[in-house]
Amino acid sequence: MLHFAQKHLRHAISAGAVALGALGLTLSTAQAVDIQRVVSPKGIEAWLVEDNTVPIIAVNFSFKGGAVQDPEGKEGLTRLLASTLDEGAGDLSSEKFQARMEDLAVGISFNTGKDYFYGSLRTLTPARDDAFDLLRLAVNDPRFDEVAVDRMKAQLEVGIRRATRDPDTIASRNLLKAMLGEHPYATPTSGTEEGLASLTRNDLLSQKNRIFSLDTLRIGVVGDINAETLAPLLDMVFETLPGTGDINPVPAMDVQAGQRVDHAMPVPQTKLVFALPGLKRDDPDYQAAFVMNHILGGGTFTSWLYEEVREKRGLSYSTGTSLSPYDAGGLLLGSAATRADRAEETLAVILEQFERMTTEGPTEAELESAKRFLTGSYPLRFDASGKIARQLVALQNAELGIDYFDRRNSEIEAVTLEDVRRVAKRLLAGKVPTVSTVGPASN
C-alpha cells in the first residue's frame, strides 16, 4: 500500500498538482517564448526556455523508438520498460528510489508512444542537482528487480484485460487492424498478455540499450535554470549512452480504406470510429488540412459535425475528427457515440459532411472564424512549463525548427479557401472511410 501511495504521489507531482507545482509550472501567455539552443561540453543539445519567476524546472526528452520496436512475440516490452525504469536504480531499491523522490518533491516519469519513448523530470530548484542525479540513475542504471518487474507486469495485464471490455478501445483496435493489417502501428502500445508474460530482465536491458542513444535524443527544458547550469547536467545524465541505437525501420503505412467492421457487444450505445489516410507532419498541405479539419470536425462547439450531428439532430453527445500524423504515415480519424437504432443515420450524416467539404467547402466567414480560434487559442499551449517542454520535444521530433513558435500563427493565417478546398479534395473526394462499430447486435 505504501508503494501504491508513493507511485500516485509521484504521478501527481509530475502532473504539477502538488505543492508549488500548480502555481509554479506557469509562464505568462503574454510573455514571448525565447528558445535557446544549449549544447553541452560533450555535444548534447537541448532547447531551453528560461523562466525565473518561480523555482521550478521541467525537463522532457524523447528517444526515437517506441512500441513499434517491440520484437515479435514480446509485445508490450517498451511499455513495460517505461513502467519499470523508476522502480529502483543504482543502489536504491524501488521503495528507496520513490521515497527519495517523495522527500525531494521530485517527479520522474516515463511513457511510450508508437514512434517515440518519452521521459520527464519535474523539480524545485533547490533539489535540482539531486533530481538530475536520480534521473541519471533511472536512465543509465535501472535495477529491473524481479519483484518490481512482476508487480508492473501485473498492473499492465489488468489494463490489457480491462481494454478487452472497453467499447472505445475495441472499436479503435479493430479499425487499425482493418486499415493497417500487420503493420506495427496496428499493434496496441500496451502489448498483449502473452507478450508481457514472456518478458525478462534481459529483455528490458536489451530494449533500453537499443532505444536509448544520443543520435535520437531530443530534450526540452523550461524553468528556473540557465544555459551555463544546464549544460553540465545534460552530460551528467546522458553522456554515457551509446552514440547510436539499433532501431528497426518502420515501413510506410499502406492504408486500406472503405472497410466495415462491426463488433456486437451489449452496451447502451453504439460506438463509431472511422478513418481515412491522412498526412505526415512534414507534408506541405498539413496546415491547410489542420484548418480544414477544425471546420469539419475538430472545432469542439463550432464544427460541421457538431452542428449537424448533435445540435440539429441530437444523434450524438460528442463527435469529431482529428489528424494523427506518425513517422511512417498519417490518418484522419473520427468518432461518435449514438443510440444503436440510429447508428446508420449518424454515419450517413457524417459522410454527408465529408462530401459537403469536397463539393461546397467552407465559407470565407467559416474560414476566418477557424483561423481566429486556432491562432487565438495557441497561447493556451504555453500556460505551463511542462506543456512547453513537451512542445519543445515535439518540435524537434517533427523537425519543424526552433523558430516554429514564431512562424506557426502566420502559417495558419496564410491558409486560403483555395488551400482548404484543395486539401479537402485530396483527403476526402471519392474516398470511403473504414468504419468500425461496437454496440448491440442488430435485430
Side-chain angles (χ1 to χ4, degrees):
M1 182 63 70
L2 175 62
H3 173 84
F4 179 83
Q6 290 172 342
K7 192 90 169 180
H8 279 262
L9 176 62
R10 179 204 51 196
H11 285 309
I13 291 172
S14 69
V18 171
L20 290 177
L23 298 175
L25 295 181
T26 59
L27 290 175
S28 169
T29 56
Q31 176 183 343
V33 179
D34 179 20
I35 306 173
Q36 305 173 59
R37 180 180 279 110
V38 179
V39 180
S40 76
K42 300 293 185 180
I44 298 171
E45 180 178 323
W47 290 5
L48 168 65
V49 174
E50 187 176 347
D51 176 60
N52 308 119
T53 56
V54 288
I56 298 265
I57 302 168
V59 180
N60 278 67
F61 59 93
S62 72
F63 299 99
K64 188 173 178 63
V68 292
Q69 297 299 321
D70 288 350
E72 186 176 354
K74 297 182 182 295
E75 293 80 9
L77 174 57
T78 310
R79 183 68 187 85
L80 181 63
L81 175 64
S83 298
T84 51
L85 281 171
D86 61 350
E87 292 290 329
D91 61 356
L92 299 175
S93 67
S94 175
E95 291 77 10
K96 290 180 179 179
F97 189 91
Q98 293 183 41
R100 181 68 173 150
M101 286 197 293
E102 182 179 355
D103 290 342
L104 295 169
V106 166
I108 294 175
S109 63
F110 301 92
N111 202 358
T112 187
K114 292 188 180 297
D115 288 312
Y116 296 94
F117 187 97
Y118 301 98
S120 70
L121 167 69
R122 304 290 183 264
T123 182
L124 298 169
T125 306
R128 179 193 65 213
D129 292 348
D130 289 333
F132 274 84
D133 191 54
L134 281 175
L135 181 62
R136 175 188 64 81
L137 287 175
V139 168
N140 293 280
D141 194 20
R143 292 169 65 101
F144 299 136
D145 292 333
E146 183 177 358
V147 171
V149 171
D150 286 347
R151 181 175 60 248
M152 300 315 297
K153 274 188 184 181
Q155 289 187 19
L156 293 175
E157 287 167 355
V158 169
I160 290 172
R161 288 194 292 271
R162 185 182 298 117
T164 64
R165 303 186 296 273
D166 177 62
D168 290 2
T169 303
I170 294 169
S172 297
R173 290 181 177 179
N174 287 349
L175 178 81
L176 290 179
K177 193 68 176 176
M179 296 192 78
L180 303 179
E182 298 303 314
H183 193 281
Y185 287 159
T187 300
T189 302
S190 56
T192 64
E193 286 191 75
E194 297 77 14
L196 280 174
S198 71
L199 300 180
T200 66
R201 182 178 189 275
N202 286 338
D203 291 324
L204 292 167
L205 284 170
S206 175
Q207 191 74 341
K208 185 188 90 69
N209 292 335
R210 288 182 58 225
I211 291 175
F212 287 21
S213 60
L214 295 176
D215 59 329
T216 68
L217 173 63
R218 304 291 182 263
I219 307 169
V221 183
V222 178
D224 186 24
I225 188 169
N226 59 35
E228 292 73 23
T229 304
L230 175 62
L233 292 173
L234 297 176
D235 284 343
M236 182 185 77
V237 174
F238 299 111
E239 69 173 328
T240 61
L241 294 177
T244 57
D246 182 21
I247 301 299
N248 296 323
V250 180
M253 291 167 55
D254 180 17
V255 181
Q256 303 299 313
Q259 302 181 73
R260 177 70 180 256
V261 183
D262 297 314
H263 181 99
M265 190 174 185
V267 289
Q269 289 190 314
T270 292
K271 179 70 178 185
L272 292 164
V273 294
F274 46 91
L276 284 167
L279 302 176
K280 294 172 63 176
R281 185 58 187 84
D282 60 0
D283 192 290
D285 274 339
Y286 189 85
Q287 295 292 38
F290 187 65
V291 176
M292 183 274 291
N293 176 73
H294 181 83
I295 298 167
L296 175 64
T300 306
F301 300 111
T302 60
S303 73
W304 287 3
L305 293 190
Y306 183 90
E307 176 69 17
E308 297 295 331
V309 175
R310 174 176 168 166
E311 290 297 293
K312 289 186 178 180
R313 297 171 176 85
L315 293 171
S316 177
Y317 180 76
S318 64
T319 181
T321 56
S322 63
L323 296 176
S324 294
Y326 300 104
D327 280 0
L331 295 173
L332 173 61
L333 294 166
S335 66
T338 188
R339 277 172 33 188
D341 62 344
R342 304 195 74 178
E344 297 307 317
E345 179 186 358
T346 302
L347 179 59
V349 173
I350 290 170
L351 295 181
E352 286 172 4
Q353 303 319 302
F354 280 31
E355 176 67 17
R356 175 186 168 198
M357 184 61 74
T358 65
T359 55
E360 299 177 20
T363 65
E364 187 71 49
E366 287 173 323
L367 174 63
E368 291 306 314
S369 176
K371 292 196 293 186
R372 280 196 304 272
F373 178 87
L374 292 172
T375 55
S377 64
Y378 194 51
L380 297 177
R381 300 190 183 189
F382 311 116
D383 65 351
S385 297
K387 289 183 181 180
I388 301 171
R390 286 191 294 272
Q391 287 277 324
L392 294 177
V393 172
L395 295 186
Q396 293 175 75
N397 285 332
E399 299 181 353
L400 292 175
I402 200 168
D403 63 339
Y404 180 75
F405 287 164
D406 297 327
R407 300 186 340 255
R408 186 267 191 184
N409 275 359
S410 62
E411 292 181 6
I412 296 294
E413 289 166 351
V415 173
T416 66
L417 275 178
E418 180 181 346
D419 294 330
V420 170
R421 288 166 177 163
R422 182 188 69 255
V423 78
K425 287 182 169 59
R426 177 182 172 187
L427 295 179
L428 304 175
K431 309 288 180 61
V432 178
T434 290
V435 177
S436 171
T437 74
V438 174
S442 57
N443 296 326

